[in-house]
Structures are given as structure tokens and as C-alpha cells.
Amino acid sequence: MPERASGDSVLQLLAPLSGWVLPLDEVPDAVFAGGMAGDGVAIDPTGHALHSPCDGVIVLMGAARHALTLRTRGGDLLLHVGIDTVAMGGAGFTLRVRDGEHVRAGTLLLEFDLDEIVRRAPSAITPVLLVGARAGQVSRCQHARRVAVGDPLFEIVPDGAKATAAQATAAYASPREAIVSSAFRIPFDHGLHARPAARVAAALAGIDAQVKFSVHGREADARSPVAMMALGVQRGDIVTADARGGGASAALTALEGVLERVAETTPAAGMALSPARAHTVITPPAKAPSPGARLDAVIASRGLAAGAAAPLVDVDPPIGAAHGDASAERARLSAAIDAVGARLRAMAASGQAARRGVLEAHEALLADPGLRLRALGQLEGGASAGAAWRKSLRNAAASLAALSDPRMAERRADLLDIERQVLRVLNGDTFEAAIELPARAIVLASELLPSQLLSLDATRLAGVCMVDGGATSHVAILAASIGLPMLVAAGPAVLSIAAGTPLILDAEHGQLLVAPSADEQARISAVIEQRARQRAEDHSAAGQPALMRDGARVHVYCNLGAVAESAPAIVSGAEGCGLLRTEFLFLDRAQAPDEGEQLAVYQAIATALGGRTLTIRTLDAGGDKPLAYLPQAHEENPALGMRGLRTSLARPELLDAQLRAIVRVAPPGQCRVLLPMVTELDEVRTVRKHLEAISAALAVPAPKLGIMIETPASALLADQLCAEVDFLSIGSNDLSQYTLAMDRLHPTLAARLDAVHPSVLRLIAGAVQAALARGIEVGVCGALATDAAAVPLLIGLGVRELSVVPAQIPRIKSLVRTLASAEGAQLAQRALELPSASAVRALAREWSEHHA
Ligand code: PEP
Ligand code: MG
């Protein structure tokens, strides 16, 4: 169905639903009826499918699926199926589009169970509204008649768009204007969803102030219901409202009528910052934790640190006013982007792989033509270079933040990081302004960005604890790569800890201990010193084999995801590579790598390994590892969908290119092929046929073929699978996810997703026995192999090959040298009989204390 336009600029909207059209004032809800959420019409539906009323881009509104926003050239349209349907939590709704998807008029967006809505919600009446900052007026509404999908509904006639943009720019363009801030608790049952957001915006109507909400490291204009909904704010969350302009105080008072005011914000007694960086200082309203308090958090980088609190105030550089006309601003923006790009390139040229990877990823983001183009478009509308850049980045960040994939949402922090770096250049700040730290600083931050971590003085930094953040963010990867303990998602109380407060950051048990007793501090400091000594010893023995006390040898291999990691892994004592995650080699690519490119990368790694075994896993794409060059249809549950070997078998041309590249690596026999996500024998037989045909055609012996044991199906069929494969590699990460039925990316289940759960250990035991009975090699390459508490258990189950994170090889080898086969077997037998992962952890702890 084509988009119909009645002129160059009038946007004709088509009925997205079949049903009866009503004026808004007949909607049984005061917010919609009063026009607070926006202007438009409502439809009492007779169908069960929502279609797009015009061309646009989808902006999803969180997990509940009952509403979505369409970004159109006439402004944002809210399509809200039913009234109070947020309470249905998404049940009865099936989304047919993804966030960020470009849709045409008539595209099917959403299907819903009308009976379910009628049963569970106050009404099925569906408002179709123009919301937020508008590019036009609603006109020619077709009320009081029946419509079919695609019939004309109303028009958006452009007006005042420029005025709106100019007002926004003017408000942002005076960064030195006083800001008053206050914290508010969200009192609404289902968070800041459509109607509450509309009430907030309505409360501010007519007040001369610009009001911004900040929460979870994100920001939104408090006059834009759509932007507020995209914050994903839940009941009880605390948002900070920053208001500027003549009516700033009145605006905060008006918000009190809708939200619960918690506290005024005052400048924090924080660590010293260079004046150019200290823009807005926000003290959270949370009560300061009392001495001895323990704050629970998620571990982002394991380790232990003792030191003093160094609160890092949030730093948001001002956007600055325009220096000239659009062409002058264009030149300024381009120069600033180029300067940041050059600096990132220079920084990436040295240093270790993880740091380089993050910096290169930032450089690639910065080079994204879409970001630049959107910013240039803003300049044409009269915005300053800073305002245009921020707007472009924030729009992109908002789209990412709204995605249900947490890994994508974490990339939002990367966008924020490059936004700030470019703004600093535009503001004339020097790059070198390092953040000063006290000795043994434990930095407390709302959300530390990668560039901020890199600018901290590593010699004075002991650990980091954040209010928000994710365990797989780039800043977490950077921290892990330098052995810096880091906790994330510790909650807002973190920022109310006074500078200098003694802290213990326990990133082994996921806790921040506030002002612990002197004895506790001394005990932890002694543990840290002893570990430093042990580390030095481990490193000096890293090149030696790992022989247990009874002389049995355990091979310790490394897991790799980049060419640059190979040589340092050998230095750390790797005896080969037990897992090369090939999906990580060609991330951020629009095109699949061809055979030649793959061969070059595999060969470089094989050469760096100096003849040692290189286990190359075929693409494990899909699920939590989406690849741009392998776009996949939307899946309700990607972890249970087309991922791993299933994706390769569905695209045999990609599988063959990868197998050919592996077979061509010299010398023949150095590489092994490893298949991810196997569930049945036929999958293996199919790949075996491809591999043998390719090897025969290239006249080289076929490489060994092995499988990952990472589904309960493959673990339970291990005896049959072992008859057809050359080796097994146990992927404990996925094996625990699928056995325990807990998403490995789930933020609240993370702590319970523990691969030492006896059910997982039983599956591992069965697979190991099957392999040993057949005399084929079996190793563990999931995170369990790097987990010191789990290694004695794995050894006890008969595992003699561990593939671990390269930096941990010296430690794991040292640990293995303290073990003996028989005592490990006894320990493992006891663990298999326990009822829970926590019971196994307790046993392992007791055993290692006794053992030590
Ligand atoms: C695993 O699942 O344990 C594994 C090693 O594979 P990945 O973590 O790459 O999914
Ligand atoms: Mg896996």
C-alpha cells in the first residue's frame, strides 16, 4: 500500500486498524481524552492487526508490546492498542517489526488478541496520536465512521516545525544559564508509560523552562512523552530533573503534582575535576549507606580491591552556541570529528588487544556516515555544531537503548562516549586533561565510559563501581583486560558515598563494602598482597606444562577472538587454542568475509601459535551474537532460534567458504574444526560430508572434526555423537543457559546462572565419560574452565583439557599443579549428589580451604 500524500508536505495517515473512529474526547481515559498525550483520533477495533498508517521508522516502547511509536516526517505517532493494556505485560500481543525498522504505509506492525484485551483491559479503544515535538498539526480527522485498514484517517499539515527546532536550540545554546535540579521517584505502577509520560508533559505546558530527565545514564526531554517512554523507567526508579530557563523552579514544582519529589540536588563533594569537564554535578537522592553496609552489584570484571571512595561526578560537556552560519558549523563539526578519529587511531596503534578493539570500535562508530549526515541535517535547521552532533548521537543511542538485546543497549554507552569526545573538541578542551585520582582510588560513577576509564591514572586506580552499566559493555571488557576489578548495576546509593570513605570492592562475590571495620580492611589488604605475590610466581612458571601432583598432565589452551590475542596468549603459556570464536573476527561488517580473507586471518593465527593446535569454531552467529552481514528474521526467542550451526547449515555457501579457508591453512593438521550448537547426529554428518568433499578437492587430509557440547541434547546423545566426531569441547556457558532455562544475558538471573549446578555437572560427566570410552579428546572451553572453584571439579570429572581466557593461563596452570586425580574424583562425586549450585560452591570453597 503506497503512502498517499495530498501534496508535497501534507502527510496523509491511513487507518492502521479496522473499526469505528472516535474523537479523542470519547476515549475512556482522562489523559488521552484531554489531549495530554497528543492530538489525533481513536479507533474502536474490530480487527486484530495493527498496520503502519504511513512510512516511518519504528521506535519500540519497551517490553510490553502494547504500543509503539512511528517516527514519521510529520512527527512521532503513538499507536497505543487499548487502554491500560500496559498491565497485560505484553501477553496477547505479537510484534511483527523490530525497533529501528523502516516500514511502509500498510506494513503489519503488531497482532493482538482482541478477546484477551476485552477480557483484561478497561477498553480496546486505540488512540492514534501525533505526540511530542511536532512538525505539523492534525487536520481533517475522519470521525464517527467505520474504517477499513488503509482508509484515510487524518492528515498532518506542516507548521511551526522550524520554530520548535529553533526554540529547542536556543534553550540548549545557553549552557551557562543556571540549572536547578531535583530528584523524583516514579509512582506509576507500570513506570513512565504512555499516559503518565503524557501527564508529565502536560504538567509542564505553558512553563518557560527546558526540563531534562536523567536516569540510568540516559536523558530525555520531559516535554516529549515518546522520549520519556524510551527511558524505560519503572515504578520506584529515581529520575533527576534538570530545569533551566525563567520558569525552572516553577517547572520542578509542577512536576511535584505528578511525581514524588525525593530531594533537591546539591553539588557533590566529589573528586577534583578539571573545570572544563565539570559541567553538571548531580548528587543522587539515595540515602548514604551506613558504615558496614554491603551493596549488591553485578560483577563486570572479577577481582578484589581495597581503597578509598573517589566519586566521579557525571560529566556532560555543554553543547555551545553556533560560531557562524551552517557552513561554518559544518566545517567545525567535521574538523572535530576528524580530530577525535585521529586521536582514537593513534591510541589504538599501541597497547593490548582489548584496548585496541574498543578504540577501533569507537573509531568505526565515529566514521558512521549516518551519524554525520543526520548531524549535518540538523545544522541546516540552524543548530550549533554541538547541538547537531548531540542530537544525532542521542537519537541513535535512544534507538539502541530501546532494543531488547542488552548487548546492543550497552553500545549506547559507546555512542555517548564519542558524543562527549567530539563535544570536548568543539568546546576547545584539550584531550590530555586527565582526571586526578587519590591513591588506591575506587571510582564510583553513574556510568563510566571507555574513554573516561582510559583517561584515569591506572597507577592510582584500584577498582570501579557503577550505579548502572552492563557486564558485557566495552568498559567492562577494558577493565577485565587490565585486571581491574569492576562492579556494575550497584544502584544509586553508590553515588551518595562520600569521597575518601574506605571501601572494599569485592568483585568476586558481587558486593561493595562501605566503611568496613579496620580488621576487615587489614584482612582484605593481606589477601590482595598475597595474591600479587602468587601472580608473580604463576607468571614465572607459565611456560611449563601443568602436571598434577600425581604426574597426570592437563593441557591448558586459550580461547581467542582476534588475531592480536594469539602471540600474547603463547607468552602466557597457552599450549594451543581450544576455541577460536570466528564470529568475533569479522564483526561490524556489512558483507560476509570471503574465503581468502578468512584464510589470511586463520593463517596469521596459526602462524602466531607456532604449530600448536588451532581449534576453529564455525560461525556461531544469531542469538546473542547478531552479525550485520547475516541479517535474520525477527525471532521471538533468538536463543532458541536460528543460531550456531543451524545458521551455517541454512547458508551452505557460507559454511563451505569457511571450511575451505580452514582446510587451506598450512601446515595441514594444525587446525581442528569445531561445530557450535549441535543437537543431533545428522547435523554433524552433513558437515562431515562437506568437509571431506572440500578436503578431497584440495587434496589435503580432512582436519579433525569436533563438536561443542552446549545443549542438553548433545550432552545426552554424547555416546552416539562420539562415534562420529574426533573430539568434544564443552561449552559451559550455553550448556548452563539451556539446562537451567535462564537467558545468559538476563540481568536479574545472572547471579543464579551458575554452571556448577549439579544438573550441568551431570551432563558434563556424561559427555566426558562418553568421550573417554571412545578414546577421543574432550575439553572444556566455556567460562567454567577459567573458574578456579570449578577446575578441581572438572579435573575430577575426567577433563584433561581446559581452554581459558589467555590472561588466566598462568593462574589455572598453577592451580592444576596443586591437584591430584583421585582427590578430584572424590570431590566431583560429592558435587554430583548435591541439590543446587550454591551447595556445590560451598563444597568447593570448603574443599579448597582445606586443600590450601
Ligand atoms: C559456551 O557456550 O560455553 C561457549 C564457549 O561458546 P560461547 O560463549 O561463544 O557461546
Ligand atoms: Mg556457546
Side-chain angles (χ1 to χ4, degrees):
M1 195 173 358
E3 180 180 0
R4 292 180 221 161
S6 57
D8 275 352
S9 44
V10 171
L11 180 62
Q12 172 72 65
L13 300 188
L14 309 177
L17 289 164
S18 52
W20 185 258
V21 186
L22 306 162
L24 278 187
D25 58 12
E26 288 183 25
V27 177
D29 177 278
V31 172
F32 286 125
M36 281 188 248
D39 197 6
V41 300
I43 301 178
D44 197 356
T46 49
H48 54 82
L50 182 78
H51 296 256
S52 184
C54 61
D55 295 354
V57 178
I58 298 296
V59 183
L60 293 181
M61 318 293 280
R65 304 189 209 127
H66 63 286
L68 46 79
T69 305
L70 188 65
R71 190 143 290 166
T72 77
R73 66 179 170 84
D76 286 343
L77 285 176
L78 173 66
L79 310 171
H80 193 287
V81 180
I83 302 300
D84 267 351
T85 34
V86 64
M88 294 170 67
F93 295 90
T94 309
L95 272 176
R96 296 295 178 204
V97 284
R98 289 183 201 230
D99 189 62
E101 189 172 326
H102 289 256
V103 294
R104 306 303 304 260
T107 303
L108 175 63
L109 306 178
L110 175 70
E111 286 174 299
F112 52 87
D113 183 339
L114 188 53
D115 292 343
E116 187 78 4
I117 296 176
V118 170
R119 259 198 316 276
R120 294 186 47 194
S123 166
I125 289 177
T126 296
V128 179
L129 306 174
L130 180 63
V131 293
R134 289 160 201 194
Q137 295 295 321
V138 169
S139 156
R140 298 167 73 109
C141 293
Q142 309 284 327
H143 292 147
R145 64 184 190 92
R146 189 164 297 286
V147 284
V149 173
D151 287 349
L153 191 64
F154 62 85
E155 291 176 355
I156 301 175
V157 181
D159 82 345
K162 289 212 163 63
T164 310
Q167 277 157 13
T169 309
Y172 277 115
S174 46
R176 280 177 230 296
E177 198 173 355
I179 299 173
V180 288
S181 302
S182 206
F184 293 90
R185 182 176 288 108
I186 300 299
F188 312 111
D189 276 351
H190 301 285
L192 209 43
H193 64 95
R195 288 176 307 117
R199 284 176 57 198
V200 169
L204 296 172
I207 299 178
D208 172 26
Q210 206 212 351
V211 186
K212 187 179 72 181
F213 278 175
S214 315
V215 63
H216 308 319
R218 298 193 284 274
E219 290 180 350
D221 180 346
R223 292 183 191 277
S224 162
V226 174
M228 283 188 281
M229 283 185 273
L231 289 173
V233 172
Q234 299 299 320
R235 181 192 173 95
D237 281 355
I238 307 281
V239 300
T240 301
D242 293 330
R244 66 160 61 117
S249 298
L252 296 185
T253 308
L255 287 177
E256 268 181 59
V258 196
L259 308 173
E260 281 172 27
R261 187 137 162 171
V262 183
E264 298 286 346
T265 58
T266 51
M271 51 184 282
L273 290 171
S274 68
R277 286 164 181 258
H279 164 56
T280 307
V281 179
I282 298 169
T283 301
K287 204 166 146 276
S290 34
R294 290 168 181 263
L295 305 182
D296 289 326
V298 172
I299 299 169
S301 168
R302 290 185 80 79
L304 206 52
L312 179 61
V313 289
D314 195 18
V315 190
D316 208 358
I319 52 177
H323 286 199
D325 62 7
S327 91
E329 289 300 279
R330 208 165 28 242
R332 238 165 47 83
L333 181 58
S334 294
I337 294 173
D338 292 347
V340 173
R343 178 167 187 264
L344 289 172
R345 254 189 315 284
M347 288 172 69
S350 63
Q352 35 86 296
R355 172 188 153 104
R356 199 159 50 237
V358 171
L359 292 167
E360 282 170 359
H362 280 197
E363 197 198 331
L365 273 180
L366 192 69
D368 183 325
L371 287 179
R372 201 183 273 234
L373 275 177
R374 277 190 293 274
L376 293 178
Q378 298 287 326
L379 291 177
E380 300 308 328
S384 71
W389 180 243
R390 171 165 285 169
K391 181 120 196 208
S392 169
L393 274 280
R394 297 273 164 115
N395 283 346
S399 313
L400 286 184
L403 293 179
S404 56
D405 178 348
R407 274 165 48 119
M408 284 296 113
E410 282 171 358
R411 300 288 82 82
R412 190 197 54 76
D414 297 312
L415 287 172
L416 185 60
D417 202 348
I418 61 167
E419 173 196 313
R420 289 181 175 186
Q421 292 182 56
V422 170
L423 286 179
R424 283 201 192 96
V425 175
L426 286 170
N427 293 343
D429 297 350
T430 55
F431 283 126
E432 284 68 31
I435 299 173
E436 294 160 28
L437 288 180
R440 293 189 305 115
I442 296 191
V443 164
L444 307 175
S446 175
E447 184 176 17
L448 195 70
L449 301 174
S451 69
Q452 291 175 317
L453 177 59
L454 292 175
S455 70
L456 295 173
D457 179 352
T459 62
R460 299 182 143 250
L461 183 61
V464 174
C465 182
M466 297 190 213
V467 174
D468 293 311
T472 57
S473 59
H474 273 142
V475 78
I477 291 170
L478 280 178
S481 75
I482 54 171
L484 176 74
M486 180 180 279
L487 292 173
V488 296
V494 164
L495 288 188
S496 46
I497 298 172
T501 306
L503 295 176
I504 291 173
L505 183 123
D506 183 351
E508 290 170 0
H509 301 96
Q511 283 196 328
L512 183 72
L513 280 63
V514 183
S517 67
D519 283 357
E520 183 72 350
Q521 289 178 51
R523 190 180 68 76
I524 296 291
S525 299
V527 171
I528 293 170
E529 278 163 30
Q530 199 280 332
R531 287 185 183 180
R533 277 195 301 278
Q534 179 70 48
R535 234 181 348 262
E537 280 171 32
D538 295 349
H539 276 272
S540 64
Q544 308 300 318
L547 300 177
M548 290 199 283
R549 293 198 334 269
D550 54 16
R553 179 162 182 182
V554 175
H555 290 277
V556 183
Y557 292 157
C558 61
N559 292 348
L560 296 176
V563 182
E565 292 169 0
S566 329
I570 298 299
V571 174
S572 296
E575 297 167 57
C577 166
L579 170 65
L580 172 64
R581 289 180 163 104
T582 56
E583 61 279 1
F584 288 169
L585 295 174
F586 302 100
L587 284 175
D588 304 325
R589 290 271 306 254
Q591 301 289 322
D594 65 16
E595 181 187 329
E597 268 179 285
Q598 292 188 64
L599 171 60
V601 172
Y602 303 156
Q603 186 64 64
I605 297 174
T607 306
L609 294 184
R612 295 169 184 85
T613 297
L614 169 54
T615 310
I616 303 182
R617 185 171 72 183
T618 56
L619 266 192
D620 187 15
D624 62 328
K625 300 175 207 165
L627 291 182
Y629 62 82
L630 267 184
Q632 292 187 311
H634 172 72
E635 292 182 310
E636 272 302 301
N637 197 339
L640 303 182
M642 288 300 290
R643 61 162 293 196
L645 185 56
R646 295 170 194 169
T647 313
S648 295
L649 290 174
R651 300 283 303 272
E653 73 289 357
L654 289 183
L655 175 66
D656 284 351
Q658 184 161 34
L659 292 177
R660 260 197 309 274
I662 298 172
V663 170
R664 287 174 62 195
V665 173
Q670 185 182 351
C671 294
R672 309 192 290 184
V673 176
L674 178 60
L675 307 178
M677 293 294 297
V678 170
T679 52
E680 59 190 29
L681 209 52
D682 277 350
E683 294 167 322
V684 182
R685 288 183 176 148
T686 306
V687 178
R688 173 78 79 186
K689 273 197 205 121
H690 283 246
L691 191 60
E692 285 178 352
I694 287 167
S695 304
L698 292 167
V700 285
K704 285 184 179 171
L705 179 64
I707 55 167
M708 299 280 294
I709 297 291
E710 52 185 352
T711 61
S714 61
L716 293 167
L717 284 188
D719 54 343
Q720 294 180 29
L721 291 161
C722 284
E724 310 241 354
V725 299
D726 304 309
F727 66 98
L728 300 186
S729 186
I730 295 169
S732 52
N733 308 338
D734 278 313
L735 187 58
S736 48
Q737 145 164 274
Y738 294 123
T739 306
L740 301 177
M742 292 180 189
D743 187 334
R744 64 193 272 186
L745 297 176
H746 198 289
T748 41
L749 291 176
R752 289 174 56 200
L753 182 61
D754 190 340
V756 300
H757 192 286
S759 60
V760 183
L761 294 182
R762 286 180 185 205
L763 290 173
I764 294 177
V768 173
Q769 285 312 313
L772 296 180
R774 279 270 167 187
I776 67 170
E777 295 161 279
V778 54
V780 176
C781 66
L784 206 56
T786 309
D787 179 343
V791 167
L793 292 165
L794 294 176
I795 300 294
L797 292 176
V799 173
R800 293 292 179 270
E801 183 191 308
L802 300 169
S803 193
V804 309
V805 175
Q808 297 298 327
I809 293 171
R811 185 173 73 102
I812 297 296
K813 280 188 165 180
S814 285
L815 171 62
V816 166
R817 293 185 191 113
T818 68
L819 305 174
S821 307
E823 65 193 20
Q826 281 172 4
L827 172 71
Q829 285 314 310
R830 287 173 64 194
L832 290 175
E833 299 308 319
L834 292 174
S836 65
S838 54
V840 175
R841 289 267 164 212
L843 171 70
R845 213 165 27 246
E846 181 198 310
W847 187 86
S848 73
E849 277 160 14
H850 184 250
H851 192 72

